[in-house]
Amino acid sequence: MTHYSQRKDRSFAVIMVLLSAAFLAQSFRYPADSSQFPRFLMGVQLLFSLIFLFQQFRLPLEAKTVPGRDVLASLWPAFKVFLITSLYVLAIDRVGYFSATAGFLMGAMALFGNRRLVVMASVTACFLAVIYALFVLFMGVRLPQGLLF
């Protein structure tokens, strides 16, 4: 890994930590009863961003490259998770919990290779039904409402 490439990775790690922290703070603006899942996701995202940052600063700047490994290719899955989770947290406030969660689940499954629409729709519907039954019906929690629900 070149010196320039390592600096770029370190910069990316710092940006991910800052964005994750900002999105975690944003999730606390939701009503307390309905913000547990976004807080959890952003907390996990922040944790992994901090781990990534820590790993980048533990590497000496003169570290050698790993043969056959492209740095950007190795960061792409992490960036996809960061991007889709961030969009999800921002969407909850605008389109509502159920609409945003349906989009998040379908998008995440598609982004990571699932192309079977029936499976994706079934998993999403079952997850949302369990969440609705558990939180809305059983516990009486009001989830953020948006355009559709």
Side-chain angles (χ1 to χ4, degrees):
M1 194 176 303
T2 67
H3 182 72
Y4 172 75
S5 160
Q6 283 182 296
R7 285 195 175 280
K8 198 163 68 170
D9 288 348
R10 287 179 178 181
S11 298
F12 179 71
V14 169
I15 290 168
M16 284 186 63
V17 167
L18 293 174
L19 285 173
S20 296
F23 288 133
L24 179 61
Q26 167 74 20
S27 72
F28 279 91
R29 290 184 47 211
Y30 304 142
D33 293 343
S34 59
S35 66
Q36 297 304 316
F37 190 58
R39 286 180 192 175
F40 169 75
L41 286 176
M42 289 296 97
V44 169
Q45 183 170 297
L46 178 59
L47 174 68
F48 285 127
S49 297
L50 287 168
I51 290 169
F52 180 63
L53 178 67
F54 179 72
Q55 288 175 336
Q56 291 306 310
F57 280 97
R58 283 191 59 206
L59 292 174
L61 280 176
E62 65 273 3
K64 303 292 182 214
T65 58
V66 177
R69 244 186 106 135
D70 180 22
V71 174
L72 292 177
S74 67
L75 291 177
W76 182 239
F79 181 72
K80 288 193 296 188
V81 170
F82 176 79
L83 180 65
I84 195 163
T85 305
S86 300
L87 291 173
Y88 169 63
V89 168
L90 292 173
I92 287 174
D93 209 23
R94 288 158 184 73
V95 299
Y97 177 80
F98 290 103
S99 300
T101 302
F104 171 72
L105 291 174
M106 297 284 283
M109 286 184 271
L111 197 61
F112 288 99
N114 192 339
R115 300 290 183 250
R116 298 175 300 189
L117 187 57
V118 172
V119 171
M120 292 168 39
S122 299
V123 168
T124 300
C126 288
F127 180 80
L128 291 176
V130 167
I131 293 297
Y132 183 79
L134 182 64
F135 286 96
V136 176
L137 297 179
F138 181 67
M139 294 173 37
V141 174
R142 288 180 32 116
L143 299 172
Q145 294 187 352
L147 300 174
L148 300 176
F149 300 103

